[in-house]
Amino acid sequence: MHTLEPELRALHADGLVDHATAARALARDRGRVFSLHAELRATLYAGVLLVMAGVGLILARHLDRIGPLAIVLAVALVAVACAVPAVRAKLAGRAPTVAGEYLLLLAVLLLSADLAYAEREFTLLGPLWSWHLLLLAVVHAAVAYAFASPLVLAASLTALAGWFGVGGAPGEFLRVSYSEAEFGARALACALAVAGWRHADRRAQPQPRFTEVFDHFVANLAFWGAIAWCGEWPWLAAGLPLLAAIAWAAIRRGLADGREAFLVYGTVYAAIGVCVAALPHIRGTTPALGFALVVVCAAAATLWWLRRRLREPGA
C-alpha cells in the first residue's frame, strides 16, 4: 500500500511542518481519523427540530391540565437551561462546543415559541402583537453577537423577515392575505435592510463572522421578491429585469469567490422566475409542461457549465 509516512516524517525532521500538523497528516495517511463534523451538525440540527416538535405536541396535549402561565414559565426555564453550556464556555473564555452551539440555538427557538404563546394567551402587546417578531429579532441578534453564533443570527434574521411579512416557506407569496406585488416589495425591503445590517457589521468588526449568513439571506430574499413581481402585470416589467440583474450578480459572486451555492441561486431562481412569468400565459397543459421542461433542462445545463468553470484553474 502506498504511504506518505516517510515524506511526512522527513518534512517534520527538516522543520518544514510542526509536530501537530505532522501528527494529523500521519493519522490521516494511516486511515485512523476522519471528520464527522458535517454529520454531527446535521444530527444536532435534526435533534433541535425534533425537540421543538416534541415541545409543541406536549403543550397541545396538556394545555388544559398545565395552564398557560405554568407552560410559559416551564418553557422559559428549559430555554435558560439549554443556554447554560454556552454561557459557561463564554465565562471561561473559550468557544462553545458544537453541541453547545446547537443547545444555544434550541434556547432561542424555545424563547421564540414561548413569547409567541404568551402573546397569544395574554395579548401582551395588544394591537401591536406583530412587533414581538421585531423584539425577537433584536434579542436574538444580541445573543448572536454576545456568543458569536451564526446559527442564532440566522434565527434573528428569520424573525426580522417575519416582521416584514415575508413568510418562511418559499411559496409564501401565493398566500391571499396580500398581493404578489406587495409580497415582492416586502421581501425586497427586507433584503435591503439585511444588506444594510451586513454593511454596518463589516464596518464595525475587523473580522466579521456573519458575512456569509447575511449574504445568503440577502440573496434569497431578493430573489423571492423579484420572482413575486414576475407573477402579475405591470410589475412583471420590473420583475424580470430585476431578476436577471440579481441572478447575474449572484453568479458573478459565486465565480469570483468560489461559492457554489450562489451559482445554484442564480440558475435555479432564474428558472423559477421565467416559469412564473411565462406559464400563466401558455394555454394547454402539454405546452406548459413542455416549456417548463425546456427551462429546467436549460438551467441544469447552465449550472453544469458554471460548476465546470468554477473548478477550472484561474476561473
Side-chain angles (χ1 to χ4, degrees):
M1 181 180 67
H2 178 70
T3 177
L4 297 176
E5 184 171 347
E7 291 81 359
L8 292 172
R9 292 191 178 280
L11 291 172
H12 181 233
D14 293 338
L16 298 177
V17 296
D18 57 25
H19 178 74
T21 303
R24 288 195 299 269
L26 286 170
R28 289 180 178 274
D29 184 64
R30 295 166 181 167
R32 293 182 180 177
V33 297
F34 58 92
S35 176
L36 288 175
H37 187 72
E39 292 82 355
L40 178 60
R41 283 191 172 274
T43 302
L44 290 171
Y45 187 72
V48 169
L49 296 180
L50 288 173
V51 170
M52 291 300 298
V55 169
L57 290 174
I58 292 174
L59 296 182
R61 292 181 178 179
H62 302 282
L63 175 61
D64 296 334
R65 184 188 311 174
I66 301 176
L69 183 58
I71 289 176
V72 170
L73 293 176
V75 174
L77 288 175
V78 173
V80 171
C82 290
V84 167
V87 173
R88 292 181 62 183
K90 183 174 179 60
L91 293 177
R94 52 183 172 82
T97 63
V98 175
E101 290 182 15
Y102 280 87
L103 283 174
L104 183 63
L105 174 62
L106 179 58
V108 299
L109 292 179
L110 287 172
L111 177 64
S112 300
D114 200 27
L115 182 58
Y117 177 76
E119 177 59 34
R120 194 190 75 172
E121 292 293 327
F122 305 112
T123 59
L124 302 175
L125 299 179
L128 301 177
W129 63 269
S130 63
W131 285 77
H132 86 274
L133 291 171
L134 183 60
L135 175 63
L136 282 175
V138 173
V139 172
H140 292 349
V143 174
Y145 279 93
F147 293 93
S149 173
L151 292 172
V152 178
L153 181 69
S156 173
L157 294 174
T158 301
L160 181 64
W163 182 72
F164 270 91
V166 183
E172 188 70 12
F173 69 89
L174 297 177
R175 60 185 291 182
V176 297
S177 60
Y178 45 80
S179 67
E180 296 174 11
E182 184 178 350
F183 176 90
R186 290 169 181 264
L188 291 171
C190 187
L192 289 175
V194 176
W197 186 355
R198 174 191 183 277
H199 178 71
D201 179 77
R202 288 183 63 87
R203 289 179 62 88
Q205 300 190 72
Q207 295 181 341
R209 288 194 56 185
F210 300 141
T211 301
E212 186 172 356
V213 179
F214 285 125
D215 287 346
H216 285 286
F217 266 85
V218 170
N220 282 278
L221 289 167
F223 272 119
W224 279 114
I227 289 173
W229 278 3
C230 292
E232 61 183 40
W233 186 262
W235 296 95
L236 175 61
L240 276 179
L242 180 61
L243 178 63
I246 298 173
W248 175 81
I251 291 173
R252 183 179 179 184
R253 180 68 179 274
L255 291 175
D257 297 345
R259 300 166 77 175
E260 190 172 320
F262 284 83
L263 302 183
V264 176
Y265 291 157
T267 52
V268 173
Y269 279 126
I272 294 173
V274 169
C275 290
V276 169
L279 289 180
H281 305 285
I282 300 177
R283 296 183 178 180
T285 303
T286 301
L289 290 177
F291 178 83
L293 180 61
V294 170
V295 171
V296 169
C297 292
T302 302
L303 183 58
W304 175 80
W305 175 75
L306 289 172
R307 292 183 64 188
R308 284 196 60 184
R309 183 178 173 186
L310 182 66
R311 286 167 171 74
E312 291 176 358

